[in-house]
Amino acid sequence: MAKRYTSYFFSVLVSIAVTFTLLQAEGAAAPAVYIFGDSTLDVGTNVFIPECLARADVYFNGIDFPSSVPTGRFSNGFNTADEIVRLLGLKRTPPPFLYLLNNPSTFKKNIFQGANFASGGSGILNTTGQLQYVSRVISLEEQIQQFSTIRSNITYMTRSEVATDSILSKAFFLISIGSNDIFEYLLNLTRPSMSIPEFNVTLISTYENHLKVSGTFHQLAEEMELTYAIKQPAFVQIATSTYFGTDFIGQRELPSWQP
């Protein structure tokens, strides 16, 4: 048991080291940052989902944040997304996609600066986080679909797929997801039941499909440097990549957001 946890701890250190190296290699500040994942990177997405019970806009969350205000981050202050964006040379983290969507007058301008799709409680598998005590989160597949809305809007404004690809190739993409899938499996919440090897294969193949199914993403991935730092069991990925999917389900009235 101790050996296994030592291995996990070592993997985490390797993940952090690779992330730091990648950020140093970026040099100048990235023009845009697009963030996908779970509560490790969520800066308030779940606050904008009325059905979601996994929310962090309550005390003591945010107690060390400026003005001690809960912001929807699952943290006492800034979270991993904020710190990585800071290391990239940017002053503030991109807001949740759902917040941008609720402000149509500035939506098209702001999407060039990035967006955060991460949703606390979500996972690689679409069934992860859809439990009674969570109710509703945004899975990785749906996060990719939301990014498709941004990509489509950029293409509409540039009137060129080539121009859009050029813009997105300069952006920084960050993914941190997978631990909730493992937690639910270990707690026997995942159905149907699978052996550990079967579950591992399912999780990895599903993740690969999310990144490869789209022709647009697959094409850009071949043209761009794609770097992964994989942490067991949380499968943390630091990636320079892009995605494509179908349009988001639509716009609705949403609350405000604290940057």
Side-chain angles (χ1 to χ4, degrees):
M1 180 68 71
K3 183 178 179 181
R4 180 172 57 177
Y5 283 116
T6 300
S7 175
Y8 289 165
F9 181 71
F10 177 74
S11 297
V12 171
L13 291 180
V14 171
S15 175
I16 294 172
V18 173
T19 302
F20 184 72
T21 301
L22 180 59
L23 292 175
Q24 285 185 317
E26 288 292 313
V33 179
Y34 298 99
I35 300 171
F36 304 77
D38 51 30
S39 60
T40 57
L41 300 179
D42 187 348
V43 295
T45 294
N46 286 7
V47 176
F48 299 91
I49 308 174
E51 318 92 287
C52 183
L53 301 179
R55 296 170 56 148
D57 55 337
V58 294
Y59 204 69
F60 291 89
N61 293 292
I63 191 171
D64 295 320
F65 202 81
S67 302
S68 296
V69 176
T71 62
R73 292 166 173 81
F74 292 82
S75 171
N76 58 299
F78 292 109
N79 67 9
T80 305
D82 297 304
E83 297 301 334
I84 290 180
V85 168
R86 181 182 62 82
L87 290 173
L88 284 170
L90 302 176
K91 293 183 178 180
R92 56 187 294 182
T93 189
F97 169 77
L98 296 180
Y99 170 81
L100 295 175
L101 195 67
N102 196 46
N103 293 273
S105 62
T106 58
F107 178 79
K108 291 184 177 180
K109 178 185 72 173
N110 289 335
I111 59 176
F112 284 96
Q113 301 170 19
N116 189 312
F117 309 91
S119 174
S122 66
I124 295 171
L125 304 177
N126 290 341
T127 55
T128 298
Q130 312 299 329
L131 303 168
Q132 184 176 1
Y133 64 85
V134 177
S135 185
R136 166 90 165 101
V137 295
I138 299 176
S139 66
L140 179 59
E141 180 178 42
E142 190 173 352
Q143 292 176 37
I144 294 172
Q145 291 172 355
Q146 290 178 347
F147 176 74
S148 175
T149 299
I150 286 181
R151 192 185 194 287
S152 298
N153 275 272
I154 293 176
T155 301
Y156 176 81
M157 288 182 279
T158 61
R159 302 187 182 280
S160 168
E161 290 281 355
V162 174
T164 299
D165 290 347
S166 177
I167 291 171
L168 294 177
S169 69
K170 298 178 178 65
F172 186 89
F173 288 74
L174 176 64
I175 310 173
S176 173
I177 199 165
S179 57
N180 290 315
D181 300 283
I182 296 172
F183 293 154
E184 290 192 11
Y185 173 78
L186 295 177
L187 292 172
N188 295 319
L189 299 176
T190 302
R191 297 290 185 271
S193 60
M194 293 178 280
S195 66
I196 292 178
E198 289 173 335
F199 176 76
N200 286 338
V201 170
T202 299
L203 199 62
I204 293 172
S205 62
T206 302
Y207 178 73
E208 290 177 345
N209 287 335
H210 284 324
L211 300 186
K212 293 180 179 179
V213 161
S214 164
T216 300
F217 168 74
H218 189 64
Q219 178 182 352
L220 284 177
E222 291 178 347
E223 299 172 355
M224 299 160 58
E225 179 181 357
L226 184 60
T227 304
Y228 293 104
I230 302 180
K231 180 183 73 175
Q232 296 181 347
F235 298 91
V236 175
Q237 293 81 28
I238 304 300
T240 303
S241 53
T242 188
Y243 312 98
F244 187 78
T246 58
D247 286 342
F248 182 62
I249 55 176
Q251 179 181 338
R252 59 172 171 243
E253 190 66 24
L254 302 170
S256 59
W257 174 75
Q258 288 283 344

